Amino acid sequence: MKAKNQHISFSGRGEAHQTSYHYRIIKGLAKVVAIIIGTLTAIVVWVVVRPVIRGIGWIISIATALLTIYWILTL
């Protein structure tokens, strides 16, 4: 088997290494950005949505209690 020009010369591989290096940097940066976005989303849910859901839970509980009392009184 004869060595072909692409195996002998490394002139075309320089860009591949550079692309791989940039790809790793972009991939790492994307992970950091995803972690930051996920953290901000979790904080917003914890601070804003959780009390709203708790409030809705209380409303459902009170409505259920009132309907149960009404149902018992109307038997």
Side-chain angles (χ1 to χ4, degrees):
M1 184 174 194
K2 235 179 180 184
K4 295 185 179 176
N5 190 22
Q6 63 183 359
H7 295 139
I8 297 171
S9 173
F10 292 110
S11 62
R13 299 182 107 183
E15 291 180 13
H17 289 296
Q18 193 173 15
T19 303
S20 176
Y21 175 72
H22 290 302
Y23 174 76
R24 283 186 306 211
I25 289 176
I26 290 172
K27 188 176 176 183
L29 184 64
K31 282 184 180 180
V32 170
V33 169
I35 289 171
I36 291 172
I37 290 173
T39 303
L40 290 175
T41 304
I43 289 172
V44 166
V45 167
W46 185 61
V47 170
V48 176
V49 177
R50 188 178 59 142
V52 170
I53 292 173
R54 275 188 173 173
I56 291 172
W58 276 104
I59 291 171
I60 291 172
S61 297
I62 291 170
T64 305
L66 291 174
L67 288 174
T68 304
I69 292 170
Y70 176 77
W71 179 65
I72 291 173
L73 293 176
T74 57
L75 282 178

Coordinates of all heavy atoms in Angstrom, one line a residue:
M1 N 0.9 -1.2 0.0 CA 0.0 0.0 0.0 C 0.9 1.2 0.0 O 1.8 1.4 0.8 CB -0.9 -0.1 1.2 CG -1.9 1.0 1.3 SD -2.9 0.7 2.7 CE -4.2 1.9 2.4
K2 N 0.6 2.1 -0.9 CA 1.4 3.3 -1.1 C 0.8 4.4 -0.2 O -0.4 4.6 -0.1 CB 1.4 3.7 -2.5 CG 2.7 3.9 -3.2 CD 2.6 4.3 -4.6 CE 3.9 4.4 -5.2 NZ 3.8 4.9 -6.6
A3 N 1.7 5.2 0.4 CA 1.2 6.4 1.2 C 0.7 7.5 0.2 O 1.4 7.8 -0.7 CB 2.3 6.9 2.0
K4 N -0.5 7.9 0.5 CA -1.0 9.0 -0.4 C -0.6 10.3 0.1 O -0.1 10.5 1.2 CB -2.5 8.9 -0.4 CG -3.0 7.6 -1.0 CD -4.5 7.6 -1.2 CE -4.9 6.3 -1.8 NZ -6.3 6.1 -1.9
N5 N -0.8 11.3 -0.7 CA -0.4 12.7 -0.4 C -1.0 13.2 0.9 O -0.4 13.9 1.7 CB -0.7 13.6 -1.5 CG 0.0 15.0 -1.4 OD1 1.0 15.1 -0.6 ND2 -0.5 16.0 -2.1
Q6 N -2.3 12.8 1.2 CA -2.9 13.3 2.4 C -2.3 12.7 3.6 O -2.4 13.3 4.7 CB -4.4 13.0 2.3 CG -4.8 11.6 2.3 CD -6.3 11.4 2.1 OE1 -7.0 12.3 2.1 NE2 -6.7 10.1 2.1
H7 N -1.7 11.6 3.6 CA -1.1 11.0 4.7 C 0.3 11.5 5.0 O 0.8 11.5 6.1 CB -1.0 9.4 4.6 CG -2.3 8.8 4.5 ND1 -2.7 7.8 3.7 CD2 -3.5 9.0 5.3 CE1 -3.9 7.4 3.9 NE2 -4.4 8.2 4.8
I8 N 0.9 11.9 3.9 CA 2.3 12.5 4.0 C 2.3 13.9 4.5 O 3.0 14.3 5.4 CB 3.0 12.3 2.7 CG1 3.2 10.8 2.3 CG2 4.4 13.0 2.8 CD1 3.7 10.6 0.9
S9 N 1.4 14.7 3.8 CA 1.4 16.1 4.1 C 0.4 16.5 5.2 O -0.7 16.0 5.1 CB 1.1 16.9 2.8 OG 0.9 18.2 3.1
F10 N 0.7 17.3 6.1 CA -0.2 17.7 7.2 C -0.7 19.1 6.9 O -1.2 19.8 7.8 CB 0.5 17.7 8.5 CG 0.8 16.3 9.0 CD1 2.1 15.8 9.0 CD2 -0.2 15.4 9.3 CE1 2.4 14.5 9.4 CE2 0.1 14.1 9.7 CZ 1.4 13.7 9.8
S11 N -0.5 19.6 5.7 CA -0.9 21.0 5.5 C -2.4 21.2 5.6 O -2.9 22.3 6.0 CB -0.5 21.4 4.1 OG -1.1 20.6 3.1
G12 N -3.3 20.2 5.3 CA -4.7 20.4 5.3 C -5.3 20.1 6.7 O -6.4 20.3 6.9
R13 N -4.5 19.7 7.6 CA -5.0 19.3 9.0 C -4.9 20.5 9.9 O -5.6 20.4 11.0 CB -4.2 18.2 9.5 CG -4.3 17.0 8.6 CD -3.6 15.8 9.3 NE -4.6 14.9 9.7 CZ -4.3 13.8 10.4 NH1 -3.1 13.5 10.7 NH2 -5.2 13.0 10.8
G14 N -4.2 21.6 9.7 CA -4.1 22.7 10.6 C -5.5 23.3 10.9 O -5.8 23.6 12.0
E15 N -6.3 23.4 9.9 CA -7.7 24.0 10.1 C -8.5 23.1 10.9 O -9.3 23.5 11.7 CB -8.3 24.3 8.7 CG -7.6 25.4 7.9 CD -8.3 25.6 6.6 OE1 -9.4 25.1 6.4 OE2 -7.7 26.3 5.8
A16 N -8.4 21.8 10.7 CA -9.2 20.8 11.5 C -8.9 21.0 13.0 O -9.8 21.0 13.8 CB -8.9 19.4 11.0
H17 N -7.6 21.1 13.3 CA -7.2 21.3 14.7 C -7.8 22.6 15.3 O -8.2 22.6 16.4 CB -5.7 21.2 14.9 CG -5.2 19.8 14.7 ND1 -5.5 18.8 15.5 CD2 -4.3 19.3 13.8 CE1 -4.9 17.7 15.1 NE2 -4.2 18.0 14.1
Q18 N -7.7 23.6 14.5 CA -8.2 24.9 14.9 C -9.7 24.9 15.1 O -10.2 25.4 16.1 CB -7.8 26.0 13.9 CG -8.0 27.4 14.4 CD -7.4 28.4 13.5 OE1 -7.2 28.1 12.3 NE2 -7.3 29.6 13.9
T19 N -10.4 24.2 14.2 CA -11.8 24.1 14.3 C -12.2 23.3 15.6 O -13.1 23.7 16.3 CB -12.4 23.4 13.1 OG1 -12.0 24.2 11.9 CG2 -13.9 23.4 13.1
S20 N -11.5 22.3 15.8 CA -11.8 21.5 17.0 C -11.5 22.3 18.3 O -12.3 22.2 19.2 CB -10.9 20.2 17.0 OG -11.1 19.5 18.2
Y21 N -10.5 23.1 18.3 CA -10.2 23.9 19.5 C -11.3 24.9 19.7 O -11.8 25.1 20.8 CB -8.8 24.6 19.2 CG -8.5 25.6 20.3 CD1 -8.1 25.2 21.6 CD2 -8.6 27.0 20.1 CE1 -7.8 26.1 22.6 CE2 -8.3 27.9 21.0 CZ -7.9 27.5 22.3 OH -7.6 28.4 23.2
H22 N -11.7 25.6 18.6 CA -12.8 26.6 18.7 C -14.1 25.9 19.1 O -14.9 26.4 19.8 CB -13.0 27.3 17.4 CG -11.9 28.3 17.1 ND1 -11.5 29.3 17.9 CD2 -11.0 28.4 16.0 CE1 -10.5 30.0 17.4 NE2 -10.2 29.4 16.3
Y23 N -14.3 24.7 18.6 CA -15.5 23.9 18.9 C -15.6 23.6 20.4 O -16.6 23.8 21.0 CB -15.6 22.6 18.1 CG -16.7 21.7 18.5 CD1 -18.0 22.0 18.1 CD2 -16.5 20.6 19.3 CE1 -19.1 21.2 18.4 CE2 -17.5 19.8 19.6 CZ -18.8 20.0 19.2 OH -19.8 19.2 19.6
R24 N -14.4 23.3 21.0 CA -14.4 23.0 22.4 C -14.7 24.2 23.2 O -15.3 24.2 24.3 CB -13.1 22.4 22.8 CG -12.9 20.9 22.4 CD -11.7 20.4 22.9 NE -10.6 21.2 22.5 CZ -9.3 20.8 22.2 NH1 -9.0 19.6 22.4 NH2 -8.4 21.6 21.8
I25 N -14.1 25.4 22.8 CA -14.3 26.6 23.5 C -15.8 27.0 23.4 O -16.4 27.4 24.4 CB -13.5 27.7 22.9 CG1 -12.0 27.5 23.3 CG2 -13.9 29.1 23.4 CD1 -11.1 28.5 22.7
I26 N -16.4 26.9 22.3 CA -17.8 27.2 22.1 C -18.7 26.3 22.9 O -19.7 26.7 23.5 CB -18.2 27.2 20.6 CG1 -17.5 28.4 19.9 CG2 -19.7 27.3 20.4 CD1 -17.7 28.4 18.4
K27 N -18.3 25.0 22.9 CA -19.1 24.0 23.7 C -19.0 24.3 25.2 O -20.0 24.3 25.9 CB -18.5 22.6 23.4 CG -19.3 21.5 24.0 CD -18.8 20.2 23.6 CE -19.5 19.0 24.2 NZ -18.9 17.7 23.9
G28 N -17.9 24.7 25.7 CA -17.7 25.0 27.1 C -18.5 26.3 27.4 O -19.2 26.4 28.4
L29 N -18.4 27.3 26.5 CA -19.2 28.5 26.7 C -20.7 28.3 26.7 O -21.4 28.8 27.5 CB -18.8 29.5 25.6 CG -19.4 30.9 25.7 CD1 -18.9 31.6 27.0 CD2 -19.0 31.7 24.5
A30 N -21.1 27.4 25.8 CA -22.5 27.0 25.7 C -23.0 26.4 27.0 O -24.1 26.6 27.5 CB -22.8 26.1 24.5
K31 N -22.1 25.5 27.6 CA -22.5 24.9 28.9 C -22.6 25.9 30.0 O -23.6 25.9 30.8 CB -21.4 23.9 29.3 CG -21.6 22.6 28.6 CD -20.5 21.6 29.1 CE -20.6 20.3 28.4 NZ -19.6 19.3 28.9
V32 N -21.7 26.9 30.0 CA -21.8 27.9 31.1 C -23.0 28.8 30.9 O -23.7 29.1 31.9 CB -20.5 28.8 31.0 CG1 -20.6 30.1 31.9 CG2 -19.3 28.0 31.4
V33 N -23.3 29.1 29.7 CA -24.5 29.9 29.4 C -25.8 29.2 29.8 O -26.7 29.7 30.4 CB -24.6 30.4 27.9 CG1 -25.9 31.0 27.6 CG2 -23.5 31.4 27.6
A34 N -25.8 27.8 29.5 CA -27.0 27.0 29.8 C -27.1 26.9 31.3 O -28.3 27.0 31.8 CB -26.8 25.6 29.2
I35 N -26.0 26.8 32.1 CA -26.1 26.7 33.5 C -26.6 28.1 34.1 O -27.5 28.1 35.0 CB -24.7 26.4 34.1 CG1 -24.4 24.9 33.8 CG2 -24.7 26.6 35.6 CD1 -23.0 24.5 34.1
I36 N -26.2 29.2 33.5 CA -26.6 30.5 34.0 C -28.1 30.6 33.7 O -28.9 31.1 34.6 CB -25.8 31.6 33.4 CG1 -24.4 31.6 33.9 CG2 -26.5 33.0 33.6 CD1 -23.4 32.5 33.2
I37 N -28.6 30.3 32.5 CA -30.0 30.4 32.2 C -30.8 29.5 33.1 O -31.9 29.9 33.5 CB -30.2 30.1 30.7 CG1 -29.6 31.3 29.8 CG2 -31.7 29.9 30.4 CD1 -29.6 31.0 28.4
G38 N -30.3 28.3 33.3 CA -31.1 27.3 34.1 C -31.2 27.8 35.6 O -32.2 27.7 36.2
T39 N -30.1 28.4 36.1 CA -30.1 28.9 37.4 C -31.1 30.1 37.5 O -31.9 30.2 38.5 CB -28.7 29.4 37.8 OG1 -27.8 28.3 37.7 CG2 -28.7 29.9 39.2
L40 N -31.1 31.0 36.6 CA -32.0 32.1 36.6 C -33.5 31.7 36.5 O -34.3 32.2 37.2 CB -31.7 33.1 35.5 CG -30.4 33.9 35.6 CD1 -30.1 34.7 34.4 CD2 -30.4 34.8 36.8
T41 N -33.7 30.7 35.7 CA -35.1 30.1 35.5 C -35.5 29.5 36.9 O -36.7 29.7 37.3 CB -35.1 29.1 34.4 OG1 -34.7 29.7 33.2 CG2 -36.5 28.5 34.2
A42 N -34.6 28.8 37.5 CA -35.0 28.1 38.8 C -35.3 29.2 39.8 O -36.2 29.0 40.6 CB -33.8 27.2 39.2
I43 N -34.5 30.2 39.9 CA -34.7 31.3 40.9 C -36.1 32.0 40.6 O -36.8 32.3 41.6 CB -33.6 32.3 40.8 CG1 -32.3 31.7 41.4 CG2 -33.9 33.6 41.6 CD1 -31.0 32.5 41.3
V44 N -36.4 32.2 39.3 CA -37.7 32.9 39.0 C -38.8 32.0 39.4 O -39.8 32.4 40.0 CB -37.7 33.2 37.5 CG1 -39.1 33.6 37.1 CG2 -36.8 34.4 37.2
V45 N -38.7 30.7 39.2 CA -39.8 29.8 39.6 C -39.9 29.7 41.1 O -41.0 29.7 41.6 CB -39.5 28.3 39.0 CG1 -40.4 27.3 39.6 CG2 -39.7 28.4 37.5
W46 N -38.7 29.7 41.8 CA -38.8 29.6 43.2 C -39.4 30.9 43.9 O -40.1 30.8 44.8 CB -37.3 29.4 43.7 CG -37.3 29.2 45.2 CD1 -37.8 28.2 45.9 CD2 -36.5 30.0 46.1 NE1 -37.5 28.3 47.2 CE2 -36.7 29.4 47.4 CE3 -35.7 31.1 46.0 CZ2 -36.1 30.0 48.5 CZ3 -35.2 31.6 47.1 CH2 -35.4 31.1 48.4
V47 N -39.0 32.0 43.3 CA -39.5 33.3 43.9 C -40.9 33.7 43.5 O -41.6 34.2 44.3 CB -38.5 34.4 43.6 CG1 -39.0 35.8 44.0 CG2 -37.1 34.1 44.2
V48 N -41.2 33.5 42.2 CA -42.5 34.0 41.7 C -43.6 32.9 41.6 O -44.7 33.1 42.1 CB -42.2 34.6 40.3 CG1 -43.5 35.1 39.6 CG2 -41.2 35.8 40.4
V49 N -43.3 31.8 41.0 CA -44.3 30.8 40.7 C -44.7 30.0 41.9 O -45.9 29.7 42.1 CB -43.8 29.9 39.5 CG1 -44.8 28.8 39.2 CG2 -43.5 30.7 38.3
R50 N -43.8 29.7 42.8 CA -44.1 28.9 43.9 C -45.1 29.5 44.8 O -46.1 28.9 45.2 CB -42.8 28.6 44.7 CG -43.0 27.6 45.8 CD -41.7 27.4 46.5 NE -41.2 28.6 47.1 CZ -40.6 28.7 48.3 NH1 -40.4 27.6 49.0 NH2 -40.1 29.8 48.7
P51 N -45.0 30.8 45.2 CA -46.1 31.4 46.0 C -47.4 31.5 45.3 O -48.5 31.3 45.9 CB -45.6 32.9 46.2 CG -44.1 32.8 46.1 CD -43.9 31.8 45.0
V52 N -47.4 31.6 44.0 CA -48.7 31.6 43.2 C -49.3 30.3 43.3 O -50.5 30.1 43.5 CB -48.4 32.0 41.7 CG1 -49.7 31.8 40.9 CG2 -48.0 33.5 41.6
I53 N -48.5 29.2 43.1 CA -49.1 27.9 43.2 C -49.6 27.6 44.6 O -50.6 26.9 44.8 CB -48.0 26.8 42.8 CG1 -47.8 27.0 41.3 CG2 -48.4 25.4 43.1 CD1 -46.7 26.2 40.7
R54 N -48.8 28.0 45.6 CA -49.3 27.9 47.0 C -50.6 28.6 47.2 O -51.5 28.1 47.9 CB -48.3 28.5 48.0 CG -47.2 27.5 48.3 CD -46.3 28.1 49.4 NE -45.4 27.2 49.9 CZ -44.4 27.5 50.8 NH1 -44.4 28.7 51.3 NH2 -43.6 26.6 51.2
G55 N -50.7 29.8 46.7 CA -52.0 30.5 46.8 C -53.1 29.8 46.2 O -54.3 29.7 46.7
I56 N -52.9 29.2 45.0 CA -53.9 28.5 44.3 C -54.3 27.3 45.1 O -55.5 26.9 45.2 CB -53.4 28.1 42.9 CG1 -53.3 29.3 42.0 CG2 -54.4 27.1 42.2 CD1 -52.7 29.1 40.6
G57 N -53.3 26.6 45.7 CA -53.6 25.5 46.6 C -54.5 25.9 47.8 O -55.4 25.1 48.1
W58 N -54.2 27.0 48.4 CA -55.1 27.5 49.5 C -56.5 27.8 49.0 O -57.5 27.4 49.7 CB -54.5 28.7 50.1 CG -53.4 28.4 51.1 CD1 -52.1 28.6 51.0 CD2 -53.7 27.9 52.4 NE1 -51.5 28.2 52.1 CE2 -52.4 27.8 53.0 CE3 -54.8 27.6 53.2 CZ2 -52.2 27.3 54.3 CZ3 -54.6 27.1 54.5 CH2 -53.4 27.0 55.0
I59 N -56.6 28.4 47.8 CA -57.9 28.7 47.3 C -58.7 27.4 47.0 O -59.9 27.3 47.3 CB -57.8 29.5 46.0 CG1 -57.3 30.9 46.4 CG2 -59.1 29.6 45.2 CD1 -57.0 31.8 45.2
I60 N -58.0 26.4 46.4 CA -58.7 25.1 46.2 C -59.1 24.4 47.5 O -60.2 23.9 47.6 CB -57.8 24.2 45.3 CG1 -57.6 24.8 43.9 CG2 -58.3 22.8 45.3 CD1 -56.6 24.1 43.1
S61 N -58.2 24.5 48.5 CA -58.6 23.9 49.8 C -59.8 24.6 50.4 O -60.7 23.9 51.0 CB -57.4 24.0 50.7 OG -56.3 23.3 50.2
I62 N -59.8 25.9 50.4 CA -60.9 26.6 51.0 C -62.2 26.3 50.3 O -63.3 26.1 50.9 CB -60.6 28.1 51.1 CG1 -59.5 28.4 52.1 CG2 -61.9 28.9 51.4 CD1 -58.9 29.8 52.0
A63 N -62.1 26.3 48.9 CA -63.3 26.1 48.1 C -63.8 24.6 48.4 O -65.0 24.4 48.5 CB -63.0 26.3 46.6
T64 N -62.9 23.7 48.5 CA -63.3 22.3 48.8 C -64.0 22.2 50.2 O -65.0 21.5 50.3 CB -62.1 21.4 48.7 OG1 -61.5 21.5 47.5 CG2 -62.5 19.9 49.0
A65 N -63.4 22.9 51.1 CA -64.0 22.9 52.5 C -65.4 23.5 52.5 O -66.3 23.0 53.1 CB -63.1 23.6 53.5
L66 N -65.6 24.6 51.8 CA -66.9 25.3 51.7 C -67.9 24.4 51.0 O -69.0 24.3 51.4 CB -66.8 26.7 51.1 CG -66.0 27.7 51.9 CD1 -65.8 29.0 51.0 CD2 -66.7 28.0 53.2
L67 N -67.5 23.8 49.9 CA -68.4 22.9 49.2 C -68.8 21.7 50.0 O -69.9 21.2 49.9 CB -67.8 22.5 47.8 CG -67.7 23.7 46.8 CD1 -67.0 23.2 45.6 CD2 -69.1 24.1 46.4
T68 N -67.8 21.2 50.8 CA -68.1 20.0 51.6 C -69.1 20.4 52.7 O -70.0 19.6 53.0 CB -66.8 19.5 52.2 OG1 -65.9 19.2 51.2 CG2 -67.0 18.2 53.1
I69 N -68.9 21.5 53.3 CA -69.8 22.0 54.4 C -71.2 22.2 53.8 O -72.2 21.8 54.3 CB -69.3 23.3 55.0 CG1 -68.0 23.0 55.8 CG2 -70.4 23.9 55.9 CD1 -67.3 24.2 56.3
Y70 N -71.3 22.8 52.6 CA -72.6 23.0 51.9 C -73.2 21.7 51.6 O -74.4 21.5 51.8 CB -72.3 23.9 50.6 CG -73.6 24.0 49.8 CD1 -74.6 25.0 50.2 CD2 -73.8 23.3 48.7 CE1 -75.7 25.1 49.5 CE2 -75.0 23.4 47.9 CZ -75.9 24.4 48.3 OH -77.1 24.5 47.6
W71 N -72.4 20.7 51.1 CA -73.0 19.4 50.8 C -73.5 18.7 52.0 O -74.6 18.1 52.0 CB -71.9 18.6 50.1 CG -72.3 17.2 49.7 CD1 -73.2 16.9 48.8 CD2 -71.8 16.0 50.3 NE1 -73.3 15.5 48.8 CE2 -72.4 14.9 49.7 CE3 -70.8 15.7 51.3 CZ2 -72.2 13.6 50.0 CZ3 -70.6 14.4 51.6 CH2 -71.3 13.4 50.9
I72 N -72.8 18.8 53.2 CA -73.2 18.2 54.4 C -74.5 18.8 54.9 O -75.4 18.1 55.4 CB -72.1 18.2 55.5 CG1 -71.0 17.3 55.0 CG2 -72.7 17.8 56.8 CD1 -69.8 17.4 55.9
L73 N -74.6 20.2 54.8 CA -75.8 20.9 55.3 C -77.0 20.7 54.5 O -78.1 20.9 54.9 CB -75.5 22.4 55.5 CG -74.4 22.7 56.5 CD1 -74.1 24.2 56.5 CD2 -75.0 22.3 57.9
T74 N -76.8 20.3 53.2 CA -78.0 20.2 52.3 C -78.4 18.7 52.2 O -79.3 18.4 51.4 CB -77.7 20.7 50.9 OG1 -76.5 20.1 50.4 CG2 -77.5 22.2 51.0
L75 N -77.9 17.8 53.0 CA -78.3 16.4 52.9 C -79.7 16.2 53.4 O -80.2 16.7 54.3 CB -77.4 15.5 53.6 CG -76.1 15.2 52.9 CD1 -75.2 14.3 53.8 CD2 -76.4 14.5 51.6

